[in-house]
Amino acid sequence: MTSGREKRWSLAGATALVTGGSKGIGRAIVEELAGFGARVHTCSRNAAELEECRRQWEEEELAVTVSVCDVSVRAAREKLMEMVRESFDGKLDILVNNAGQLFSKVARELTENSYWHLMETNLWSSFHLSQLAHPLLLNASICGGGSIINISSIAGSLGFPCFTLYSITKGGMNQLTRSLATE
Ligand SMILES: NC(=O)c1ccc[n+]([C@@H]2O[C@H](COP(=O)([O-])OP(=O)(O)OC[C@H]3O[C@@H](n4cnc5c(N)ncnc54)[C@H](OP(=O)(O)O)[C@@H]3O)[C@@H](O)[C@H]2O)c1
């Protein structure tokens, strides 16, 4: 028999997209959401690692699907959201923008290429995926409406040596989160 407490925390019927779920924090989020009954889709760039995760999740009876996606590539983001739209019948309750990369280099050696690569990977991908997810989030029926969760960092609020680029992306993400919340 299910206790009131378990019911309160159930995500049965909810759908979620978690980027970068093959390891680390993203993987823990995938397993937590699926453990509470959500259907979860996740992605990363490494097909073999993803398949190994999928196999383990299947064994644990977690409802998780996977696809390869490099979130720094516009066409790949669009393909990912199209797949999510089809798999979840046009409805997404939770988007977790987790995929991100740490980049450590002294500021005077940073190049324009590394700037744009990290901006695209950590910040613009989260913004664009949020835009792409918007029509699906409007159809959310669980948890009081659609939610976007952005995985930021303390480096988005404080300065650390050699983390200038990473800090810019996470500071931008903090403002993205605040701004979208007002809309
Ligand atoms: N760990 C920390 O102490 C910490 C602290 C503060 C904030 N964070 C933030 O938390 C998030 C997760 O960090 P983590 O430590 O768990 O990282 P992690 O262990 O390196 O895992 C990152 C995940 O994202 C995927 N990923 C990386 N680049 C990607 C891309 N371009 N497209 C798609 N997937 C990509 C990775 O798989 P592939 O490499 O195979 O693609 C992996 O699944 C990041 O946004 C990070 O900035 C972490």
Side-chain angles (χ1 to χ4, degrees):
M1 200 173 124
T2 313
S3 73
R5 193 177 181 83
E6 282 162 346
K7 257 190 186 164
R8 188 176 152 202
W9 289 106
S10 172
L11 287 175
T15 56
L17 168 61
V18 180
T19 61
S22 65
K23 43 186 176 276
I25 293 170
R27 182 167 184 162
I29 294 171
V30 166
E31 292 174 359
E32 197 69 6
L33 294 177
F36 279 112
R39 282 189 294 151
V40 182
H41 187 86
T42 192
C43 68
S44 76
R45 293 166 301 171
N46 186 315
E49 273 182 17
L50 262 184
E51 176 51 25
E52 179 54 21
C53 290
R54 194 203 58 74
R55 201 191 54 72
Q56 288 176 22
W57 290 326
E58 192 175 56
E59 266 178 29
E60 292 164 29
E61 298 186 351
L62 297 175
V64 186
T65 52
V66 302
S67 61
V68 172
C69 170
D70 182 341
V71 298
S72 72
V73 177
R74 166 178 278 271
R77 293 191 295 265
E78 289 170 347
K79 191 174 162 200
L80 171 69
M81 201 55 72
E82 184 52 27
M83 183 175 291
V84 166
R85 193 184 64 74
E86 280 176 17
S87 311
F88 295 155
D89 299 321
K91 176 187 88 109
L92 185 66
D93 295 282
I94 305 164
L95 167 65
V96 184
N97 286 313
N98 164 76
Q101 291 167 14
L102 189 63
F103 187 80
S104 169
K105 197 168 235 184
V106 65
R108 68 177 174 275
E109 290 175 9
L110 291 172
T111 63
E112 192 172 345
N113 275 352
S114 52
Y115 176 89
W116 288 115
H117 177 70
L118 213 67
M119 289 298 273
E120 181 98 32
T121 303
N122 289 6
L123 182 57
W124 174 240
S125 72
S126 302
F127 193 173
H128 187 218
L129 283 170
S130 301
Q131 289 180 323
L132 292 172
H134 184 244
L136 285 71
L137 291 165
L138 288 177
N139 295 329
S141 52
I142 310 278
C143 321
S147 303
I148 300 175
I149 298 165
N150 293 325
I151 305 300
S152 183
S153 166
I154 190 67
S157 308
L158 300 179
F160 293 95
C162 300
F163 279 10
T164 302
L165 272 191
Y166 181 73
S167 290
I168 293 170
T169 64
K170 294 300 185 177
M173 184 180 245
N174 291 346
Q175 283 306 104
L176 171 66
T177 308
R178 291 186 188 103
S179 302
L180 292 188
T182 66
E183 287 188 33

